[in-house]
Amino acid sequence: MVVYLNGSYVPAEQAVVSVDDRGFLFADGIYEVIRVYRGRPFRLEEHLRRLADGVAALRIPFRDPAGLAGIADRLLEENGLRDGDAVLYIQVTRGAAPRAHAFPPADVPPTAYAIPRANVLRPDEPGPTLPHEEALAGAPEVEEGRFKVPRIVEAEP
Amino acid sequence: MTEPCDRTATELAAALRAGELSAEELVRSCLGRIDAVEPEVRAFLERTPGLALEQARAVDARLAAGEELPAVAGIPLALKDVLTTKGIRTTCGSRILEDYVPPYDCTPWARLRTAGSVLLGKTNCDEFAMGSSNENSAFGPVHNPWDLGRVPGGSSGGSAAAVAAGEAVWALGTDTGGSVRQPAALCGVVGMKPTYGLVSRYGLIAFASSLDTVGTFTRSVRDAAVLLSAIAGRDPRDATSLDPAEPDLAAGLEEADVRGLRVGVIAEALGEGVEPGVRDVVRAAVDRLAGMGAEVGEASLPHAEYALSAYYLIAPSEASSNLARYDGVRYGLRVPGRDSVEMMMRTRGEGFGPEVKRRIILGTYALSAGYYEAYYGQAQKVRTLVIRDYQAAFERFDVLVSPTSPTTAFRIGEKVDDPLAMYLSDVFTIPANLAGVPAISIPCGLDERGLPVGLQITGPVLGERKVLGAAHALERELAFSARPPLLERIAPVG
């Protein structure tokens, strides 16, 4: 498994963050989860826009949320998920700095971490279904091969 | 001479293979008994004698051709009317499904049908399996063969009474809070509720999905093992279904021995609220277990006293959701109205009986915004405590024993106006449903009125073999052979 961490693509077991990371010490961070269907991230732009709004609101100086689109692509490629179903997690924290409640100086880089996880799904296999006539056999009222019900919305007066 | 319809399935299967009896003779014996007792017992809602004869003749032909058939082949069966049968009316004891003919078979019946089982008909039950006396059926109560003025228990009262009266050799029921074990106890037959998930519920018309199980009514523990083995196992159409650890639960049953078996007597279940007659008979059975070499000790399920309250939040909550499907659109009753909403309100208002309405209202309230955490959420926490109680108890004991129900069969009408008194009838059976563990009720004697008393043996998850083994050994020791007075009258032995 290859993950993204602060600009590099590294094997998951080599990805390490500092114990001074504010995400660890104060939960001072934000994350986004993106579903991937057959290798295609669902609503990627909207997710990244929301992440950008989130880091801006939290005043985390994360420069390039839009650049994460390329990261998503490369992570799926590197992990053999080009055609797979997966979820992609993106974690951003305020970075590592000596423990203090106040925000660290502006030159402390945020921590950015992204990891894809393959979804294991049961194969979608269509099986035999109830024939139309049998499904309708018990219906109180049928019209043109459909269940018939009284009107649902009151007529305009 | 005992009539074929009064014998165990195990004996009958041997007789069929030995050529001493044909499947047709056997089913005719059951049909004759049904004709004789049904006016008084009223166990069946729908009878299928034509189908039964046809299926029996098919079995005879296959046996004559030298075919090896499964153990259930040719044995006449009754099905509780909450289990769907293709082309055969399935009502759930409710007006709302009074004319419902399902387009599919439930999995347990599909498996039995394929194995050569013979269907006698569909048995009466409390409406949508909600009740403990069978009096909530829209089609009238079933009468207990031991005393026709008394209830057979519920909700699977028809199945229990049919087996007790010799109308069917065995039957299937469903157990959500005790609906197999309690009527089995009150009718003096063996009732087995397996581990949650051991039997597929596909085609079991849902009441409370996290509690519903399919169980068996039989005349012996061995028969229960045979019938359960035939219906158990994974079914892709029920996502909760499991494969049993050992597919043939009857294998090795004769060697089952209770020597050294650690038996925990549930202390809370022999205290207040238990009829003295029940307590005495159960205590005597426990003494017999000790005499047989079991290591009997006192077990405790300290949270079981809250199980009933938790159950009456969880089960109605799930029921209120499951029963939303009866809207008069796709099947079942429709009472016309000006628009769809009025049609649905009238359909449900006229189609459901009072107990079903009570539980739908209770469940809807328990799930409503603002109350969910206080009621359903809290009940689920209690459920976890009950599960932990069992886990702790099964570290010390192999099986647990208690009375199945605090009373023997009560009079028809005695508790209909007092739902809380009725609910207490299941106080000892409900905890096993909350925890999903297997439990069996076997007859262990008669009280001072001559009514049967049930002993419940409970085991850990997928511990069917332990439960059946202990029950089988005790059954052999007790040699319970009393018969309902009704049978002494119409089919005297000797």
Side-chain angles (χ1 to χ4, degrees):
Chain A
M1 164 87 72
V2 174
V3 303
Y4 169 87
L5 181 64
N6 299 329
S8 309
Y9 295 87
V10 292
E13 55 277 11
Q14 289 172 24
V16 174
V17 293
S18 164
V19 290
D20 283 333
D21 195 280
R22 292 181 58 97
F24 170 59
L25 294 175
F26 302 119
D28 187 4
I30 190 166
Y31 74 95
E32 196 68 33
V33 191
I34 303 162
R35 282 293 306 262
V36 177
Y37 297 98
R38 293 183 187 168
R40 290 167 56 201
F42 183 66
R43 298 206 166 159
L44 180 62
E45 263 179 50
E46 287 93 328
H47 278 292
L48 296 181
R49 200 177 312 135
R50 183 167 70 180
L51 182 65
D53 290 348
V55 294
L58 292 171
R59 293 191 272 151
I60 294 175
F62 185 61
R63 306 288 168 222
D64 185 23
L68 289 170
I71 293 168
D73 264 357
R74 178 148 172 205
L75 279 178
L76 295 172
E77 185 69 45
E78 296 256 359
N79 289 291
L81 293 167
R82 262 282 140 248
D83 301 307
D85 287 341
V87 279
L88 185 68
Y89 292 91
I90 301 172
Q91 309 269 158
V92 179
T93 78
R94 205 180 300 278
R99 196 181 195 288
H101 287 161
F103 286 0
D107 61 347
V108 171
T111 303
Y113 171 58
I115 178 174
R117 182 183 297 154
N119 273 351
V120 180
L121 298 175
R122 198 170 54 190
D124 195 6
E125 290 165 354
T129 56
L130 213 52
H132 205 206
E133 319 77 66
E134 285 186 26
L136 289 169
E141 209 178 340
V142 173
E143 191 177 284
E144 294 174 8
R146 294 183 172 84
F147 297 106
K148 191 180 179 193
V149 293
R151 67 175 179 222
I152 291 168
V153 180
E154 285 290 324
E156 293 288 328
Chain B
M1 178 71 193
T2 312
E3 293 181 26
C5 64
D6 289 314
R7 297 168 69 187
T8 65
T10 300
E11 292 164 357
L12 291 164
L16 289 176
R17 279 156 188 77
E20 294 161 19
L21 180 74
S22 72
E24 182 171 347
E25 285 165 343
L26 171 55
V27 77
R28 285 192 187 281
S29 169
C30 288
L31 294 173
R33 177 63 59 79
I34 289 173
D35 286 340
V37 305
E38 200 51 16
E40 295 178 280
V41 175
R42 300 185 173 280
F44 284 87
L45 290 176
E46 184 84 24
R47 298 190 226 164
T48 54
L51 173 68
L53 281 165
E54 187 188 309
Q55 289 173 328
R57 288 187 195 120
V59 168
D60 284 334
R62 291 171 71 184
L63 284 172
E67 254 188 83
E68 289 251 358
L69 295 181
V72 300
I75 310 296
L77 168 90
L79 289 175
K80 183 181 185 180
D81 209 23
V82 296
L83 294 160
T84 60
T85 39
K86 185 172 183 173
I88 300 166
R89 200 155 66 109
T90 301
T91 68
C92 290
S94 180
R95 292 272 172 226
I96 214 159
L97 290 178
E98 190 168 2
D99 298 311
Y100 175 58
V101 179
Y104 68 110
D105 280 326
C106 66
T107 294
W109 169 236
R111 289 186 177 171
L112 290 171
R113 184 172 46 71
T114 310
S117 181
V118 170
L119 183 66
L120 294 163
K122 308 295 293 290
T123 53
N124 203 346
C125 56
D126 285 297
E127 186 177 2
F128 286 101
M130 297 179 194
S132 308
S133 70
N134 222 116
E135 291 164 291
N136 296 333
S137 168
F139 310 110
V142 175
H143 298 257
N144 191 318
W146 290 82
D147 179 342
L148 296 166
R150 292 179 186 269
V151 304
S155 65
S156 315
S159 287
V163 174
E167 297 177 89
V169 174
W170 55 20
L172 294 186
T174 59
D175 192 314
T176 304
S179 284
V180 164
R181 290 160 288 155
Q182 185 259 18
L186 271 49
C187 288
V189 297
V190 175
M192 174 81 191
K193 174 206 109 66
T195 300
Y196 179 81
L198 188 66
V199 179
S200 166
R201 287 96 44 86
Y202 179 72
L204 159 58
I205 296 177
F207 160 19
S209 305
S210 78
L211 302 159
D212 289 342
T213 58
V214 177
T216 60
F217 291 93
T218 57
R219 301 217 178 93
S220 74
V221 174
R222 167 168 276 281
D223 282 5
V226 170
L227 187 53
L228 183 56
S229 301
I231 60 174
R234 174 80 191 147
D235 173 10
R237 291 189 280 200
D238 176 355
T240 67
S241 64
L242 310 162
D243 268 322
E246 294 172 75
D248 183 4
L249 293 164
L253 203 55
E254 300 310 318
E255 290 80 56
D257 190 350
V258 298
R259 264 176 298 179
L261 189 77
R262 298 169 303 161
V263 175
V265 181
I266 302 174
E268 296 86 358
L270 283 171
E272 249 176 89
V274 181
E275 282 182 354
V278 170
R279 194 180 308 159
D280 293 348
V281 172
V282 168
R283 283 213 172 115
V286 170
D287 289 345
R288 296 285 280 274
L289 275 171
M292 293 159 70
E295 291 171 24
V296 177
E298 192 174 284
S300 177
L301 300 175
H303 297 95
E305 67 171 299
Y306 308 109
L308 191 74
S309 311
Y311 175 85
Y312 275 101
L313 288 167
I314 294 169
S317 294
E318 295 180 10
S320 72
S321 168
N322 274 327
L323 271 62
R325 73 191 64 176
Y326 304 104
D327 55 7
V329 172
R330 288 152 301 160
Y331 50 83
L333 180 73
R334 173 185 290 190
V335 180
R338 278 178 292 126
D339 53 36
S340 279
V341 170
E342 192 183 84
M343 179 275 284
M344 289 178 192
M345 288 173 70
R346 285 187 178 168
T347 297
R348 292 168 68 82
E350 292 183 29
F352 290 135
E355 181 62 26
V356 171
K357 285 180 185 162
R358 178 181 293 123
R359 296 199 198 187
I360 290 175
I361 291 167
L362 183 61
T364 305
Y365 181 77
L367 291 177
S368 56
Y371 296 100
Y372 179 90
E373 276 304 317
Y375 293 114
Y376 189 76
Q378 195 70 8
Q380 289 289 32
K381 289 178 189 166
V382 172
R383 184 175 193 172
T384 300
L385 295 175
V386 171
I387 292 169
R388 287 187 190 153
D389 279 359
Y390 275 109
Q391 285 167 344
F394 287 125
E395 278 173 22
R396 291 179 55 214
F397 298 104
D398 296 306
V399 295
L400 303 176
V401 299
S402 70
T404 305
S405 186
T407 74
T408 52
F410 44 92
R411 294 197 170 281
I412 292 176
E414 190 178 323
K415 298 184 182 179
V416 280
D417 296 325
D418 188 351
L420 292 181
M422 187 75 87
Y423 295 170
L424 276 173
S425 194
D426 293 324
V427 67
F428 301 142
T429 48
I430 278 172
N433 295 87
L434 290 178
V437 294
I440 196 169
S441 176
I442 64 167
C444 63
L446 301 178
D447 73 356
E448 68 286 356
R449 289 167 296 208
L451 296 169
V453 174
L455 174 88
Q456 177 174 245
I457 303 176
T458 307
V461 166
L462 291 176
E464 270 73 14
R465 192 165 278 276
K466 277 184 189 172
V467 169
L468 290 163
H472 180 73
L474 182 60
E475 172 186 65
R476 195 164 38 193
E477 172 79 9
L478 293 172
F480 177 86
S481 61
R483 303 174 73 214
L486 173 71
L487 298 190
E488 299 300 344
R489 172 154 59 85
I490 64 150
V493 175

